[in-house]
Amino acid sequence: MFVTLFIQRLHNQRFVGTAHHPPALLGQVQGETLGRALLIAVVLITPYVIYKMRQVRAVRRAHDAAVAADAAALKAGDLTPLPALEDVIRDISYVVTEAKANGGAILVIPAQVTVSHREASDQIVDLLVNDALRRSGLVIAGQEVTPEGRLLHCVLASPEA
């Protein structure tokens, strides 16, 4: 009997600092807290989202402008595409073979060439061709400039070089 009475009192007793809230009020408090947290998150994140969107749009505009400029250059230019420097450098292996057989060979570099489908400057062309010749064991003995391009007379590099 004493134990039953003690359990009933313990069950009915409320702990200090806790109030009995109906479930509807508890749901309302949690909903308000969730709403405030969402509002704070939106206010904090919105400036960064706007910044990133502008950044992405700027990159897209720059890319679209570059693509449009390339397309306009192709339309404005003549119908025959410019020769690629990659093809000229690929021909160096034939120049090496001919230089070994004949003591020298001529490499023809067109007046205007492209690198990766874009017109290359003379400095870039010279740098790439000289590097390819050096790696192939050739040196330039002479050069002649013609309207069609440059003719490089190449010979094998000396072994002590």
Side-chain angles (χ1 to χ4, degrees):
M1 178 84 165
F2 178 72
V3 173
T4 310
L5 191 61
F6 177 72
I7 291 175
Q8 284 178 353
R9 279 191 176 178
L10 186 61
H11 185 277
N12 292 336
Q13 183 179 7
R14 294 201 179 139
F15 295 102
V16 177
T18 61
H20 182 67
H21 297 290
L25 183 60
L26 187 59
Q28 182 182 2
V29 170
Q30 288 177 349
E32 289 173 359
T33 304
L34 182 63
R36 272 189 252 129
L38 182 63
L39 181 64
I40 291 170
V42 167
V43 167
L44 291 176
I45 300 297
T46 299
Y48 182 73
V49 169
I50 292 170
Y51 166 75
K52 274 303 191 187
M53 286 175 60
R54 287 181 179 169
Q55 190 178 31
V56 167
R57 286 180 184 153
V59 168
R60 284 183 184 165
R61 279 193 302 268
H63 176 72
D64 292 343
V67 168
D70 287 346
L74 284 177
K75 289 179 183 177
D78 57 352
L79 298 176
T80 59
L82 294 175
L85 184 62
E86 293 88 347
D87 296 334
V88 174
I89 291 176
R90 193 175 307 122
D91 291 341
I92 290 178
S93 62
Y94 301 116
V95 174
V96 170
T97 306
E98 189 176 331
K100 286 180 181 177
N102 300 328
I106 294 177
L107 177 67
V108 179
I109 301 175
Q112 292 180 323
V113 294
T114 61
V115 175
S116 297
H117 305 289
R118 293 181 186 219
E119 191 171 345
S121 67
D122 290 337
Q123 293 85 12
I124 296 293
V125 171
D126 290 341
L127 180 71
L128 293 174
V129 168
N130 287 335
D131 181 58
L133 289 172
R134 182 188 53 79
R135 286 185 284 122
S136 298
L138 295 173
V139 293
I140 300 172
Q143 178 175 340
E144 184 180 339
V145 179
T146 64
E148 292 81 27
R150 291 184 289 161
L151 305 175
L152 301 179
H153 180 70
C154 302
V155 294
L156 293 173
S158 62
E160 60 269 357

